Amino acid sequence: MIEGVLLKGYGGFYYVYAEDRVWECSLRGRFRVKDQDFLPGDRVKILPDEENKATIEAVEPRRNALIRPTIANVDQAILVFAMTSPKPDLNLMDRLLVQVTDAEIDPILVFTKLDKYEEDLKTGSEELTIMDVYRKIGYTVFEVSNETGQGIEAVGAGLKDKISVLAGPSGAGKSSLFNALSTGKKLKTGELSLKSKRGRHTTRHVELMVCAGGLVADTPGFSALFLPDMNRLELAECFPEFAQRRSQCRFSSCIHDKEPNCAIKEALENGEIASSRYEHYLIFLQEVIAAERRY
């Protein structure tokens, strides 16, 4: 038997990537009897048959699993935002970062349109410092140009041997980024998009694709509108610059809003925490408190 990763299930067959090729697999009888559910990202053991045919013989325990999209064993989320045209929506960015962090998945920020951004600087536009703000917090940040290829190799190196999901607003260049990273399958511009409607997340079926030596989900990883189920103390843990100062607050139950002797508000006044991050935190905090009261 050989080990591989399930890419997708379709028409009663399961497609598994193993030993640098894709195998069309059927299920061993015991899985059908147990009504075993399979998700893209599941690590499986297969028994090769003829040509590219095989049978799934075993499934390894999952390290994690997401609901939207339905995918297992995710290592990291690639959050893609344009540096300019349009400028990044920082509220959305921070929402996605909270969702990714709460799911215990490593976030990677990729800012696209570096060539356009540098051209804007030449014409006298105000230089943005948002990339440095998030680097200072401790996030992994890349700046790339899908047109010139600048920065693409560095992003690709971070995908190797990992399962990643892509997320970000439409127009940020997710499809173009995938195409720049992949020498195989190409996506039409707009095929990777974040479409949010109140109460549900609209997307196609989930499929993992081989990209830069790793596997990437061709669908957004998270809903843009709603925060995950959490309490008010858990929210602050999803802001790394808050979490590392929390023990310095006067009260252990401090939620960094109206309490006295709050280390987070003190850091904000000293310029150690970005005002936009704190403003978004307060917005999210009210949403979390409202959800607590409903339930």
Side-chain angles (χ1 to χ4, degrees):
M1 290 192 293
I2 58 177
E3 295 184 356
V5 177
L6 179 64
L7 300 180
K8 66 177 179 178
Y10 184 77
F13 291 95
Y14 296 85
Y15 297 86
V16 175
Y17 183 69
E19 297 189 343
D20 295 324
R21 58 187 294 193
V22 178
W23 303 79
E24 183 182 82
C25 300
S26 56
L27 298 181
R28 190 58 80 181
R30 62 178 177 272
F31 290 125
R32 290 196 296 271
V33 172
K34 291 171 59 179
D35 195 28
Q36 168 89 32
D37 66 318
F38 289 86
L39 298 180
D42 273 335
R43 300 189 182 279
V44 299
K45 292 183 179 179
I46 64 174
L47 183 63
D49 194 357
E50 58 183 15
E51 297 182 352
N52 66 329
K53 309 291 185 181
T55 303
I56 295 178
E57 298 288 331
V59 184
E60 300 296 325
R62 292 170 184 155
R63 188 175 69 257
N64 60 42
L66 299 178
I67 298 175
R68 292 177 294 186
T70 50
I71 185 171
N73 299 315
V74 178
D75 295 302
Q76 57 191 12
I78 312 300
L79 308 182
V80 184
F81 287 81
M83 300 170 73
T84 185
S85 302
K87 291 183 178 181
D89 181 340
L90 301 185
N91 182 295
L92 173 59
M93 186 184 302
D94 286 338
R95 283 181 182 271
L96 291 176
L97 286 169
V98 167
Q99 293 181 60
V100 170
T101 303
D102 181 69
E104 298 183 349
I105 294 170
D106 292 334
I108 309 294
L109 288 170
V110 176
F111 291 92
T112 62
K113 302 186 182 180
L114 177 59
D115 54 314
K116 173 64 175 174
Y117 171 71
E118 291 177 337
E119 188 63 30
D120 288 346
L121 293 183
K122 292 178 183 178
T123 61
S125 298
E126 182 180 355
E127 183 173 355
L128 300 177
T129 60
I130 194 62
M131 288 74 71
D132 291 331
V133 168
Y134 283 86
R135 282 196 182 95
K136 181 180 178 181
I137 293 171
Y139 292 111
T140 300
V141 177
F142 294 99
E143 300 163 16
V144 307
S145 168
N146 297 327
E147 296 296 325
T148 67
Q150 186 174 350
I152 295 296
E153 185 176 347
V155 175
L159 300 183
K160 185 174 176 58
D161 299 325
K162 294 184 178 180
I163 295 177
S164 307
V165 293
L166 282 165
S170 59
K174 294 185 296 296
S175 296
S176 297
L177 175 65
F178 180 92
N179 291 341
L181 289 165
S182 176
T183 57
K185 181 177 180 179
K186 298 295 182 182
L187 298 179
K188 296 178 181 178
T189 301
E191 187 171 349
L192 286 172
S193 62
L194 191 62
K195 301 177 182 177
S196 299
K197 296 183 179 179
R198 191 164 186 81
R200 66 177 299 180
H201 186 79
T202 303
T203 184
R204 300 181 296 110
H205 72 280
V206 180
E207 176 182 352
L208 282 169
M209 294 181 291
V210 180
C211 179
L215 298 173
V216 176
D218 71 332
T219 178
F222 302 88
S223 167
L225 293 182
F226 300 103
L227 296 172
D229 293 334
M230 59 171 55
N231 62 47
R232 61 189 73 183
L233 293 179
E234 291 171 332
L235 174 63
E237 295 299 311
C238 294
F239 285 72
E241 68 272 45
F242 291 17
Q244 65 188 18
R245 294 177 169 89
R246 183 172 179 176
S247 62
Q248 302 170 24
C249 292
R250 178 179 177 182
F251 302 106
S252 60
S253 60
C254 185
I255 58 173
H256 322 307
D257 185 9
K258 297 179 174 62
E259 299 88 344
N261 303 117
C262 171
I264 306 308
K265 289 189 289 184
E266 182 179 343
L268 175 68
E269 294 173 0
N270 294 336
E272 299 170 8
I273 289 177
S275 59
S276 63
R277 291 277 288 176
Y278 184 71
E279 291 168 5
H280 297 157
Y281 167 78
L282 291 181
I283 293 172
F284 302 162
L285 178 64
Q286 293 308 308
E287 294 179 20
V288 169
I289 291 174
E292 287 178 347
R293 290 171 177 167
R294 284 197 302 269
Y295 301 109

